[in-house]
Structure formats: C-alpha cells, structure tokens
Amino acid sequence: MPDVILRLALPSPLRRLFDYKAPAHTAQTVFTPGMRLRVPFGRREMIGILVEVVSHSEVPADKLKPAIALLDPVSPLPPALFKLCLWTSQYYQHGLGDTLSWALPVLLRQGEPAEARQERFWHAAADARLDDPRIARAPKQRDALKTLAQHPHGVAHQLLSKLQLNKDSLDLLLAKQLVSVEVRRHGPGPRAEHWLAQPELPLNEEQRAAFEAIRASLGGFQPFLLAGVTGSGKTEVYLQLIHECLEAGKQALVLIPEINLGPQTLARFEQRFNARIALVHSAVNDRDRLDAWLAARDGEADIIIGTRSALFTPMKNPGLIIIDEEHDGSYKQQEGLRYHARDLALVRASQEDIPIVLGSATPSLESLHNAHTGRYGLLRIDHRAGGAQQPKFLRLDVKSRPLDSGISGPMQQAIGQTLANGQQVLVFLNRRGFAPTLLCHDCGWLSECPRCDARTTVHQRSGELRCHHCGHVERVPRQCPKCGTVDLRPVGAGTERAEERLAILFPDYPVLRVDRDSTSRKDAMTQLFATIQKGHPCILIGTQMLAKGHHFPRVTLVSILDADGGLFSGDFRASERMAQLIVQVAGRAGRAEEPGKVIIQTHLADHPLLVQLTEQGYFAFAEQALAERRAAGLPPFAHLALLRAEAHKPGQAEAFLDEACAAAEALVAQLALGGLELLGPVPAPMERRAGRYRAQLLVQATLRAPLHRLLNAWMLQLEQLPSGRQVRWSLDVDPVDLY
Ligand code: ADP
Ligand code: ZN
Ligand code: ZN
C-alpha cells in the first residue's frame, strides 16, 4: 500500500504547503480536504488544514514527520468555502495557510471543536414532589426544587445564580433523581412559520422594476448594480428580495460597511423578519462568531449580516448576496490578506450560482464600468421614496476670501439664515482635530511627527499634538522648540476648531460634533442622533462619519467646508472619493416638505469634475472621471499590482525593489508577456512612516492574464531574494490606496 502523505496549509506567510505523515492510529481514516490536524512545526505545534492527500513527497521519507492528531472526524469546511479560499489565495498571491487564517473563525484556527456550544439545562423531575421525605429537613434543596418546578422548560446553567439557585443543592437533588440535566445545542431555535413580522411597503414603480429584475434571476448567477439615490428605498428592495429568498428555503448574505454597524441596520432586518439572523463582525466575540459560522453553515441561520470578513461565512443553502454601499472603502482589507470583499463576493456568487446585488447611491467607477460593458445588470432608482426632492448644489468660490476657522463670510450668513428659519445645518469637514499643524510665527517651525514624514495635528482640548498616521502623541509645546519664542499658531482648521468657532458665532444654538474623537463612547452617537431627531435648530459638524447610514430629515443646509483636497491630490482615486463623500453627505439632508441645499466652499470652482458633479449629478461626474481614467490607462481600464517594501534603514527598501524589478523584467521577457509596465521603484508618497522607510513598485497591465502569470512566477522568486529578509514587503493586487 502506498504511503498516505498529508499536504497541509499552515498559518505561515510562506506561499507553500507542508507534508506530514498521517498521525498514529488513523489507518482506517478516510482523509478529506478541510480536516484539521495538529502538527509539529519547528519547536512549536500548529493547526494545519488538509489540502490534499498525496502518495509522494519532495521531503525524504525519513525527514517526514507524523502529524500529532486529527481534530475532525469530517471536514468542518464545506467544499464551496474551501474553493473560495483557494481562489482567494491564488488571486491575491497570498499563502493558502494564511488565507485560511483570515477567512476562518479564530476558534476553528485554534483547534476548537467545530461544534455548536453545548448548554446544560436543569429540570425538575416529572414526579418530584416538594413534600418528598428525603428533603423534608433540607430547606435549601426544597427551595431549589420549587424554583425549578416554576420553569417547565428548564433553567440554563449560566442563569442559575441569577435565580439564586445553589449548585450544591442541585447536585444533591440530582443524586436523589429529583432533578435532571439536559444538554442542548446552543443556537437559534427552529425556523419560523411566517417570515414577515411586519408588512412590506408597497414598492413604487422604480423599486418594483428593480425588484422584479432581480427576482427573475434568483436561482442563478447574475450580478446587478442597484444605483439608487440616497433615500430611494434600496433597503426596502433588499428586504423584499430577502423575503423571496427565505420563502424559497434559501439563505441571504448581506454585507455592510464597517461604519454602518449601528443598531439601526440590524433593527430594520429584525423588525421585518421572524428570521434567525447571524451577525458577523469584528466586535462579536470569538465564541459567538463560531456559533454564527456554524449556524450559517448548517442552515440554521436564515440571514447573515456582517462586515467585510462575513464574506467568508459558509451557507448551506445560499440564495442571494447583497453588498450595501458597494463603493465603500472598508470592503478592502489593507493588511495581511489584502482582499476586496466586493470583488470576492462576485466570485463567490458565480461559484455558488446565485445572484448578487451591489447597491449604492454613488457606485464605484469599477462597478459602473462593469455595468456599461454589460457584465452587471444596471438598475437605477432616480427618485427618493416618499417623493422627497434631491438637494440643490451651489459652489462657493472662496478664492481670496478670508476664512474664519475654515468658514467663509457667505457660508456664515447661510448658516445663520437657516438656523433663524428654525432648521438644522450639517457642516462637513473631513479633518478631525483643531488644526492640521502648529506654526511658529517667528521662525517658521512646523510641528512634525518624529517618526513620519507628516505634520502633527493640534488637538486643543487635550492639549496634544497627534500624528494621525502612526499614533505618536506629545504635549503642545509652550514655546517654539527651534527659536524659543512663544508665538505658536495653529494653521488651518479641523472639526474641533470649526466647532469652537460656530459655537461663538451662533451662541443661541447647540453645536454637536461627530468624529472619532467625540464619539469614542459607544452610545454617544445614539444620544446625539436622538437630539437631532427632535428637530430643533442646531448645527451638526463632523467628518465622514456623518456621510453614512443616517438620515437627518430636519437638515436643510449642508455646508461642505473643503472639497479641494480631492481635486488636486496625487491619488488617482481621490476625486472619486470626494464626489462620493459630497453626494453621500448631501443625501443625509432634506425631506419632502423641505428640499435641502448644499453649499461647497472651494478654490477650484471651475474644476470640470466639480462642475459636472454639482450641475449634472454623480453619474455625469462618473462618465467624465471614467473618460479620464481611460485616457490615462488607469483602472478600471487597466489592472494594477503594487509591491510595497519598508525597512528601518534608508535605501534598503529600494534595494530590494530594484532586484524585484530586475526579476520581473527578466520574467516578462522569458514568458513573453505583453501589455505589462513596471513603474518604479519610487519612494512611497509618505516616505517615512512610523519610523520605517517605504518604497513601492507598481505593475500596470492591460490584461489580467499576463499580470497573473507574472505574479505567480515572481512571488516565488521574491521569497528567495536575500535582500527580502531585511525588509517587510507585501504585494497588493488591485490596490485601492497607492501609498
Ligand atoms: P436607501 O436604502 O436607498 O437609502 P431606504 O430604504 O433607507 O433608502 O429608504 C428611505 C426611506 O424611505 C425609509 O424611511 C423607508 O422606510 C422609506 N421607503 C422606502 N420605500 C418606500 C416605499 N415604497 N413607500 C414609502 N416609503 C418608502
Ligand atoms: Zn520658532
Ligand atoms: Zn507619525
């Protein structure tokens, strides 16, 4: 009989698999991919996942170690999920072992049994009597029995102390067989009889057209881009599609951006359905995450809602995938396995042969391009549900106008007018802190981070200078560290400064700030929103946290203090992001009775992209931006991969990238790959960050196939390069941020 050799994926950054002999006493075992094994690795032990069983290994037989133990009687990973992980690992050029580490619940990776938690329930025995002579002189036991008898469904073990049930008394009762213990599987109960807990809204014409188109595709792979303006009732369309899906006995997976994790999102699903909803995101503890994962896998969760990583939740009967706010940056993971959950969701939908809906008021240029080329069905909802009007946009040219804490005179007047009319104002400034930097008026010294090529932000309230890139914090100096004068001035304005100024300008109205500094307390947001919902005139000022999820029906003026950053940034995606933010912020405002107005302060009032956006709307802007991308040969008309490197000493990262570049050039020639261009190596836009020197090399390709052929061969070579040991390097396929 040939040897059984187990080829395992281990949680190691190396892009290779590891061979082991079968553990002792497993001669009868049928090994299947996905089973977990505990194995020796160097001086440690690791949990590996079986990828395949082979009969020959490169490793000499006497060097091959046996695995220590088999952890699963059957594979806990459904084949569909395994397939998705394999695809992910290959596409993103990431080791399979580490890919599985990102994709699977922590407890599974740690070797925890792939079983739902067991819960013990205490019951009074059916024939137990309180006047049983055996407890006549044991009042504690009698009391305990009495309490248990009041709970005909039993009492969960962890609730014993809450009901003042003493464990010792129960054990004594158990010995007398007056009580019993039942072990139940933790998790959701049985499936509901009727799905709807709340009636559905009658869809308007546009919603209905979108709904019908998608419904007709249930049962097979088809991607849709649901481009509906903010407040157009996209969520209602999702809910009704999910209902269809539930009726067909299928499960639905809904991905939402990190920031939308508010209780509102979940509440809408819970109010609508009598369904078992599994919540999957990073704030859910490991045990609950494993339970949610198992419930979804076993068909005991009907709806799975979560952020990026929830994409890897297995489903027994997959029916539909929804990606809400598909343009959102949080779908892209920026560390380790650098995957894009939206892009992977498409792969998954195709593999599982189900429809996928990408919804947004401001679709990404990638998705719009896919809609134009016919890969996605395009469904538009151009009107708000309930008849509310779209806000009107005004560009306010602030060239040579003085800015007072970032706010121009005409903007102040507009804010004052709105408040006087008894309405609310939303002020948007995507920069937290008091001021972006501190300047010495005497010698020109600027406050800089000692570890980054970046200025430190003044946080006045806490009296600190903070680096927003590495977290460095120091006290605001009293005098200039360079010349000693005391004339230090904050330059520019962040939300803290604008808030302070607005409170002085409009003392009769509350000014509420929403950013990461103001809302670190968990329920601060909720309280804030309750105040706003009351409808009294007030000013709401904040960063992009304001742009998402919430509706502020009483806001009639949106003041955007700075749109220019997005128009002259070196990042080719900056203008797209700026446009999305402006439209999303604007979409928070106005209702049927009171259409909103959006005023944008800018030094570039004639910039064609800004003109398009404000006069003709997001889709016109997107057309123009796509035309520019096409002309420049940028995504979605080209494909990128970015090799990043960083090191403690200057020059090391470049040295590695120079070698990497030479290796790539050789491979391009050797494999006769066309349409590939290597750009760099160049220093990263922020060359030093957190004390490391950074550089990058960009690969630009007209076609995907040659790009991936290069990457496959290239990564193996890079792992062997000696200069790679001195640097931290990583590859980002389809990078979103080029720094
Ligand atoms: P979106 O997800 O597109 O931003 P929502 O689904 O949140 O929009 O809908 C915005 C508001 O319109 C919600 O208060 C919702 O209850 C309401 N709404 C949605 N569809 C309808 C409809 N067909 N009739 C009446 N109101 C609707
Ligand atoms: Zn000075
Ligand atoms: Zn820093």
Side-chain angles (χ1 to χ4, degrees), residues 440 442-445 480 482-485 488:
C440 171
D442 233 43
C443 77
W445 170 85
C480 173
K482 200 165 138 203
C483 75
T485 46
L488 294 176

Side-chain angles (χ1 to χ4, degrees), residues 453-618:
D453 291 332
R455 308 266 154 79
T456 48
T457 302
V458 185
H459 286 254
Q460 185 132 303
R461 212 154 294 175
S462 58
E464 289 167 342
L465 295 175
R466 291 191 209 155
C467 173
H468 288 182
H469 304 282
C470 73
H472 170 83
V473 178
E474 59 190 89
R475 306 294 308 164
V476 172
R478 231 171 264 212
Q479 44 189 165
C480 173
K482 200 165 138 203
C483 75
T485 46
V486 289
D487 195 2
L488 294 176
R489 300 181 184 181
V491 185
T495 47
E496 206 184 303
R497 187 174 208 171
E499 175 197 20
E500 191 181 285
R501 189 68 195 136
L502 288 165
I504 293 168
L505 288 170
F506 306 104
D508 301 334
Y509 302 95
V511 179
L512 310 165
R513 178 159 62 95
V514 178
D515 56 32
R516 263 206 288 159
D517 303 320
S518 73
T519 53
S520 43
R521 263 192 320 124
K522 204 179 167 195
D523 48 12
M525 282 277 261
T526 322
Q527 277 176 19
L528 208 80
F529 291 131
T531 313
I532 296 157
Q533 298 304 338
K534 286 200 193 111
H536 304 305
C538 66
I539 301 173
L540 184 59
I541 172 160
T543 56
Q544 58 178 324
M545 282 179 91
L546 280 179
K548 308 188 179 176
H550 301 276
H551 288 293
F552 306 118
R554 298 304 178 117
V555 168
T556 58
L557 172 65
V558 174
S559 304
I560 295 178
L561 296 189
D562 181 13
D564 296 353
L567 295 173
F568 51 70
S569 160
D571 181 347
F572 75 90
R573 286 184 214 272
S575 60
E576 176 185 359
R577 271 198 291 263
M578 177 224 42
Q580 287 164 345
L581 266 177
I582 290 179
V583 174
Q584 294 284 346
V585 174
R588 304 301 120 204
R591 272 300 177 256
E593 327 83 69
E594 300 160 307
K597 189 159 75 175
V598 182
I599 303 180
I600 304 172
Q601 288 189 164
T602 174
H603 291 88
L604 304 162
D606 301 326
H607 194 292
L609 286 177
L610 196 58
V611 173
Q612 283 281 12
L613 180 70
T614 52
E615 291 182 1
Q616 293 174 51
Y618 183 78

